[in-house]
């Protein structure tokens, strides 16, 4: 088809090979007595509230409101300043694609469940920032930060990428938000009493569209 669902979010459609996104809201999302004008005004308002952006183009067709916005503009709004400078350099190709998938899926889940889209996307962006480091380096980072390392983790240092990632997010990428750091730290093993962002990143890591196992 011409359109594909983007990030498992029914409001966003990606126009393939065009660099365009379509944001769709229908009159089923508002009281049934609303007319097309009402749908248009409400949709534009919700779009701006959820994305922080103003629509580029919009139209109402059969009670459904379609707002067009360029993919590059969405990425410019959500991507952090350091993304392009390190993602491809620090991660292998598959991990890079997975990371983008988690970032956008986390943003969609945040939108659905009322969490900060920007914070969720940043946590998704950085969740695997230590994944491709050598095992010895992961251990070194955790020991230097005085993180507890269990016997299981020491024998399977791949598990430490979450803890090491939280440390890098704080020290290298200057993330101060404790919820973001905590979500990164436990995104592999989970933990008791997880908060909303913890759950968003944990789930996004498993359901992002690029994951096949």
């Amino acid at each position: 088809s011409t359109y594909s669902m983007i990030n498992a979010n029914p409001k966003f459609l990606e126009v393939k090979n065009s660099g365009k996104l379509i944001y769709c809201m229908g009159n089923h999302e508002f009281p049934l007595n609303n007319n097309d004008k009402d749908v248009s005004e409400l949709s534009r308002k919700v779009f701006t509230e959820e994305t922080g952006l103003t629509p580029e183009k919009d139209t109402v067709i059969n009670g459904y409101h379609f707002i067009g916005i360029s993919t590059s503009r969405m990425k410019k709004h959500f991507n952090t300043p350091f993304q392009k400078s390190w993602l491809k350099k620090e991660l292998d190709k598959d991990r890079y694609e997975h990371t983008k998938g988690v970032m956008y899926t986390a943003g969609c889940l945040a939108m659905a469940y009322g969490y900060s889209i920007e914070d969720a996307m940043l946590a998704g962006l950085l969740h695997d920032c230590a994944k491709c480091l050598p095992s010895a380096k992961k251990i070194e980072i955790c020991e230097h930060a005085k993180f507890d390392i269990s016997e299981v983790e020491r024998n399977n240092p791949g598990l430490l990428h979450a803890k090491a990632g939280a440390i890098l997010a704080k020290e290298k990428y200057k993330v101060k938000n404790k919820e973001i750091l905590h979500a990164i730290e436990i995104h592999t093993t989970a933990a008791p009493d997880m908060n909303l962002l913890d759950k968003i990143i944990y789930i996004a890591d498993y359901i992002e569209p690029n994951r096949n196992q």
Side-chain angles (χ1 to χ4, degrees):
S1 62
T2 303
Y3 302 104
S4 63
M5 301 308 293
I6 185 167
N7 306 320
N9 187 332
K11 291 181 182 177
F12 282 98
L13 300 172
E14 183 176 21
V15 186
K16 289 186 175 180
N17 302 317
S18 71
K20 296 290 183 183
L21 294 177
I22 299 293
Y23 179 96
C24 172
M25 296 190 74
N27 54 13
H28 61 283
E29 303 196 37
F30 306 115
L32 294 177
N33 61 350
N34 284 337
N35 57 34
D36 282 356
K37 181 179 179 182
D38 293 329
V39 172
S40 179
E41 291 177 354
L42 286 167
S43 296
R44 291 173 66 90
K45 180 175 183 291
V46 171
F47 175 84
T48 299
E49 288 176 347
E50 291 187 344
T51 68
L53 301 171
T54 54
E56 292 175 357
K57 297 180 179 179
D58 62 290
T59 186
V60 176
I61 303 174
N62 295 330
Y64 286 84
H65 189 219
F66 297 88
I67 296 173
I69 189 164
S70 68
T71 305
S72 60
R73 190 163 174 232
M74 278 298 270
K75 288 182 177 179
K76 183 177 180 181
H77 176 69
F78 285 126
N79 288 5
T80 55
F82 48 78
Q83 178 183 2
K84 290 183 176 63
S85 69
W86 73 265
L87 264 182
K88 288 187 176 179
K89 181 176 69 174
E90 299 287 345
L91 304 175
D92 61 38
K93 183 179 183 297
D94 289 341
R95 189 57 47 183
Y96 170 69
E97 294 301 325
H98 167 69
T99 292
K100 289 194 300 180
V102 174
M103 178 176 69
Y104 286 114
T105 302
C108 291
L109 289 172
M111 184 185 297
Y113 291 99
Y115 194 84
S116 165
I117 297 172
E118 290 82 357
D119 288 350
M121 292 186 78
L122 179 56
L125 171 68
L126 292 174
H127 83 287
D128 270 353
C129 64
K131 183 74 173 183
C132 294
L133 294 176
S135 295
K137 186 65 176 179
K138 294 185 183 80
I139 294 173
E140 178 187 335
I141 289 172
C142 291
E143 287 181 337
H144 180 74
K146 302 189 184 308
F147 267 50
D148 291 332
I149 301 176
S150 69
E151 182 179 352
V152 172
E153 289 172 328
R154 197 171 290 278
N155 292 331
N156 300 274
L159 296 173
L160 288 173
H161 81 273
K163 290 181 178 178
I167 296 165
L168 288 182
K170 180 179 180 180
E171 297 183 355
K172 183 175 182 179
Y173 301 113
K174 309 304 179 185
V175 175
K176 297 179 180 180
N177 186 312
K178 291 183 178 180
E179 287 197 353
I180 292 176
L181 298 174
H182 188 259
I184 295 170
E185 180 183 342
I186 68 164
H187 81 266
T188 299
T189 59
D193 302 318
M194 293 167 70
N195 62 39
L196 180 55
L197 182 59
D198 293 336
K199 295 173 184 177
I200 285 172
I201 300 304
Y202 184 78
I203 296 299
D205 189 28
Y206 279 91
I207 69 170
E208 66 92 5
N210 298 304
R211 192 168 190 120
N212 55 21
Q213 60 180 2

